[in-house]
């Protein structure tokens, strides 16, 4: 090695047949000389191209005449021209346990902070920038689609009752920022039962069963106030943004494992998304309680309706609370009663 | 075990007899198909000689510990660059898988480059966004999206298969896929079933004429024949050297695989529902029973899935010929089921940290169950100017050269 000569031992492939020949590549100065069973060649060392390092796997050296020389990884190869500049530093990182452990910490920090703070904040910011007209177009299209696919029937509530509820609803939205965008829709649905939901842009649908389950107008208005909360806080848009981001993040992390088992990839996304959904519901509840108090309605009406619905429809599902899209009824009732103005 | 070279102290793999610096570890000669050094003999030894049956050793040498570091570093960089690095990460990971799969002592080589992969990913992400928006919000646009997808699907199949073949190499010769758009169109849309189903969506036949749903039934029944045409197209247009793949599986064989998987699933649902009905009377809370019966049903689904994976994979390999090479795949539904369950449990229990370990295990299991049988010499494969590894790099800049596979 004193004169700068160095020999690599490996296998030569001519590219004509997948048959190798044991070979030597001798480096002297700027020259590389290949000697194999029935082939020899001389090249400029700077015209060779070495494949990137990966683990402890063999490396391949492309020769200018189309031949290839395969040999075990060796520090000497670092002095030759590399096929890929970007992969060298990555390979350097991949070899170090310290880097890997730091990497785990960074990944955990990114995922957790993004999940708890970054993503909700970014989604809120972005959703506020989407013009309400866009949201309205989406909402109208969605309702038209549900109607044309026979999700609902015409409401069977009498005109008088509808009118009373509408008047109360107008009172609730009277000076809200999005007041011009609201539309209250009555529908009859036999398979969703008592239900109310807000579509993006201000369309709020309430089912006949929900109106009938309420014993007073205050209770109906309490439900509508909750849906108004979803609209004012842009929850549909925020949840679309947050859920897509979660789906993309989970797919990125489990990309390798996705083919191993769908459950592995699906479960974390489901858990993450239902947590966001529960937060939106709690946010809409709080918004509703404030709105009701402002308009001199009792938030406790929300509590009494919730309790009645639970007694009638859902019995003992508490074991599944952590994958539920809504907070537990007991908790919502407690918060409603707690926000009742003290007299 | 790996060994450390006493002369230059670099680490060498178990299967290597000689360090790159020239120090020899074992005296015995290397693998088949490798000629001894010039000084020893000038005669070609193309073992096992033409006509003689033999086997090329296929070995997977990847390790969970080593791949863990590759995985963490690449995932971390992907997250830090908001996904842009994912194309580079894909190259590193595929390079690791290929480099650690040795056939007859020589590792496979992955030649894909990040930029065409990134290009493919940007296009795929845009297409997905359009689909997502159309399906959730702009349903009136959905017919156009579906029509465009139907027209583009054959192109996506051809491009992604061609990319994977072109940038996979063995012994300085790349694979090649020269299927064309019209070929893919014929393979996946022959009989017109899929276009008819898509047309059904576009013109809303299913709402108007419930009888149109028969299309799905027919497609479900003929699905095995559809899969056969697709595999036949892919294998038949893939070549190595000047040898094209030949595919001999029949649709009936695929049907048997899917039919058996269906029977397994139905049998498990049947047994579960009998057991559930029998215990129903003794339970106060029927919801718990529902939860408990989901477990065997999910298990049944995993088993049926593993059965399809194992047996269709076996069928494809065992019906494929490439020049003098045949393949013998011996995956079992039972083995794959155990593997999937152990992987899922390990991944969940470790909060994802064991994903690399699970990936290595799965690849090792697949490679261990694949044998490459040789009938005749490898000199039957003849490379050309365009098949050399160096030629592959030159096309990387082409606009349509992109990786659309996931």
């Amino acid at each position: 090695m004193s004169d700068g000569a160095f020999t690599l031992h490996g296998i030569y492939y001519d590219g004509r047949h997948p048959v190798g020949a044991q070979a030597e590549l001798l480096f002297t100065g700027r020259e590389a000389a290949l000697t194999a069973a029935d082939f020899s060649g001389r090249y400029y060392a700077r015209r060779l191209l070495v494949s990137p390092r990966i683990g402890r796997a063999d490396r391949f050296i492309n020769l200018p005449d189309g031949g290839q020389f395969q040999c075990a990884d060796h520090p000497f190869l670092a002095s030759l021209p590399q096929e890929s500049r970007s992969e060298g530093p990555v390979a350097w990182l991949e070899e170090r346990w310290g880097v890997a452990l730091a990497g785990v910490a960074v990944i955990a920090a990114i995922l957790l902070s993004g999940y708890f703070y970054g993503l909700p904040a970014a989604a809120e910011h972005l959703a506020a920038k989407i013009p309400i007209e866009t949201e309205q177009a989406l909402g109208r299209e969605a309702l038209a689609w549900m109607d044309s696919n026979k999700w609902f029937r015409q409401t069977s509530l009498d005109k008088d009752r509808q009118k009373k509820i509408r008047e109360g609803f107008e009172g609730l939205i009277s000076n809200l920022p999005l007041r011009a965008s609201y539309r209250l829709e009555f529908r009859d649905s036999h398979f969703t039962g008592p239900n109310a939901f807000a579509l993006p842009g201000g369309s709020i649908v309430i089912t006949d069963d929900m109106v009938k389950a309420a014993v007073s107008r205050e209770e109906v208005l309490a439900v509508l106030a909750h849906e108004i909360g979803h609209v004012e806080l842009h929850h549909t848009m925020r949840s679309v943004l947050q859920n897509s981001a979660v789906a993309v993040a989970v797919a990125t992390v489990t990309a390798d494992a996705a083919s191993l088992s769908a459950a592995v990839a699906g479960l974390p996304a489901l858990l993450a998304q239902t947590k966001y959904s529960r937060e939106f519901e709690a946010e809409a509840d709080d918004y509703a309680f404030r709105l009701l108090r402002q308009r001199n309605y009792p938030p406790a009406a929300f509590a009494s309706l919730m309790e009645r619905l639970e007694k009638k429809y859902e019995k003992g599902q508490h074991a599944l609370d952590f994958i539920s899209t809504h907070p537990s009824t007991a908790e919502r009732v407690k918060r409603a009663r707690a926000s009742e103005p003290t007299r | 075990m790996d060994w450390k070279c006493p002369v230059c102290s670099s680490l060498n793999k178990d299967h290597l007899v000689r360090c790159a610096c020239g120090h020899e570890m074992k005296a015995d000669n290397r693998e088949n198909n490798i000629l001894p050094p010039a000084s020893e003999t000038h005669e070609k030894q193309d073992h096992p000689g033409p006509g003689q049956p033999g086997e090329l050793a296929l070995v997977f040498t990847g390790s969970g510990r080593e791949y863990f570091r590759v995985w963490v570093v690449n995932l971390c960089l992907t997250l830090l660059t908001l996904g842009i690095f994912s194309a580079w990460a894909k190259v590193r990971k595929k390079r690791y898988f290929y480099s650690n799969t040795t056939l007859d002592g020589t590792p496979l080589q992955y030649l894909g480059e990040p930029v065409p992969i990134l290009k493919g990913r940007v296009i795929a992400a845009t297409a997905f966004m359009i689909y997502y928006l159309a399906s959730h919000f702009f349903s009136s646009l959905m017919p156009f999206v579906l029509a465009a997808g139907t027209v583009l699907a054959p192109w996506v199949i051809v491009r992604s298969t061609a990319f994977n073949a072109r940038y996979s190499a063995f012994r300085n010769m790349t694979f090649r896929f020269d299927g064309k758009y019209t070929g893919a169109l014929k393979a996946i849309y022959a009989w017109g079933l899929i276009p008819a189903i898509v047309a059904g969506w576009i013109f809303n036949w299913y709402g108007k004429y419930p009888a149109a749903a028969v299309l799905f039934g027919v497609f479900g029944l003929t699905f095995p024949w559809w899969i056969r045409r697709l595999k036949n197209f892919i294998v038949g247009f893939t070549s190595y050297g000047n040898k094209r793949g030949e595919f001999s599986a029949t649709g009936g064989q695929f049907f048997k695989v899917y039919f058996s998987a269906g029977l397994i699933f139905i049998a498990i649902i049947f047994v579960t529902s009998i057991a559930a009905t029998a215990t129903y009377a003794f339970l106060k809370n029927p919801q718990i029973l529902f939860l408990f019966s989901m477990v065997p049903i999910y298990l049944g689904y995993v088993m049926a899935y593993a059965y399809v994976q194992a047996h269709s994979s076996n069928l494809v390999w065992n019906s494929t010929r490439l020049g003098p090479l045949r393949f013998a795949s011996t995956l079992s539904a039972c083995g794959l089921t155990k593997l999937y369950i152990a992987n899922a449990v390990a991944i969940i229990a470790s909060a994802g940290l064991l994903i690399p370990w699970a990936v290595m295990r799965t690849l090792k299991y697949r490679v261990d169950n694949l044998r490459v049988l040789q009938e005749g010499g490898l000199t039957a494969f003849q490379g050309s100017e365009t098949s050399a590894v160096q030629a592959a790099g030159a096309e990387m800049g082409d606009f349509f050269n992109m990786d659309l596979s996931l």
Side-chain angles (χ1 to χ4, degrees), chain B residues 215-235:
Chain B
L215 282 175
F216 288 94
V218 176
F219 181 66
L221 274 179
T222 56
F223 181 71
W225 282 266
W226 184 83
I227 284 283
R228 190 209 78 89
R229 280 205 312 271
L230 185 61
K231 300 281 181 195
N232 184 46
F233 173 68
I234 289 173
V235 172

Side-chain angles (χ1 to χ4, degrees), chain B residues 189-401:
Chain B
Y189 296 151
W191 305 347
L193 263 173
I194 294 182
I197 287 173
V198 175
W201 265 314
I202 293 176
F203 302 111
N204 193 24
W205 293 344
Y206 307 112
K208 282 184 233 155
Y209 323 103
V214 170
L215 282 175
F216 288 94
V218 176
F219 181 66
L221 274 179
T222 56
F223 181 71
W225 282 266
W226 184 83
I227 284 283
R228 190 209 78 89
R229 280 205 312 271
L230 185 61
K231 300 281 181 195
N232 184 46
F233 173 68
I234 289 173
V235 172
F237 285 101
T238 299
S239 56
Y240 178 73
N242 53 348
K243 294 280 185 264
R244 265 170 195 283
E246 293 161 55
F247 193 63
S248 58
T250 64
Q253 288 173 303
F254 277 103
F255 181 79
K256 232 172 30 204
V257 172
Y258 290 103
F259 188 70
S260 311
L263 281 186
I264 292 175
F265 191 42
I266 290 169
I268 286 173
I269 290 182
F270 185 69
V271 171
T272 310
S273 48
I274 286 181
T277 321
T279 47
Y280 184 77
F282 304 102
L283 285 173
K284 282 180 201 155
N285 197 338
Q287 271 181 351
I288 295 203
L289 185 66
F290 172 75
L291 272 182
F292 274 104
S293 54
M294 284 316 286
V295 174
I297 287 176
Y298 185 69
L299 201 70
Y301 164 76
V302 173
M303 277 172 71
Y305 177 77
Y307 187 90
V308 168
Q309 289 288 307
H311 290 271
S312 66
S313 193
N314 287 349
L315 180 58
V316 169
W317 279 114
N318 297 343
S319 317
T320 297
R321 256 176 180 285
L322 185 63
L325 301 182
R326 280 192 308 116
F327 306 89
S329 174
T330 53
L331 297 173
S332 82
C334 203
L336 267 187
T337 307
K338 276 191 226 156
L339 191 83
Y340 287 152
I341 292 174
N343 283 349
V345 170
I347 289 173
I348 291 171
S350 67
L353 287 177
L354 284 178
I355 288 176
W357 171 83
V359 173
M360 287 298 106
R361 258 176 64 157
T362 308
L363 286 175
K364 183 162 169 50
Y365 177 74
R366 285 186 159 268
V367 169
D368 283 351
N369 278 287
L370 183 63
R371 294 167 62 207
V372 182
L373 307 170
Q374 188 186 4
E375 297 168 345
L378 290 180
T379 41
F381 292 110
Q382 294 202 350
S384 63
E385 297 291 323
T386 52
S387 72
V389 161
Q390 266 199 324
E395 306 164 6
M396 276 289 170
D398 286 2
F399 179 73
F400 283 115
N401 182 49

Side-chain angles (χ1 to χ4, degrees), chain A residues 55-68:
Chain A
R56 290 155 302 126
D58 280 9
R59 309 276 294 271
F60 296 94
I61 302 175
N62 288 342
L63 308 171
D65 59 6
Q68 194 181 46

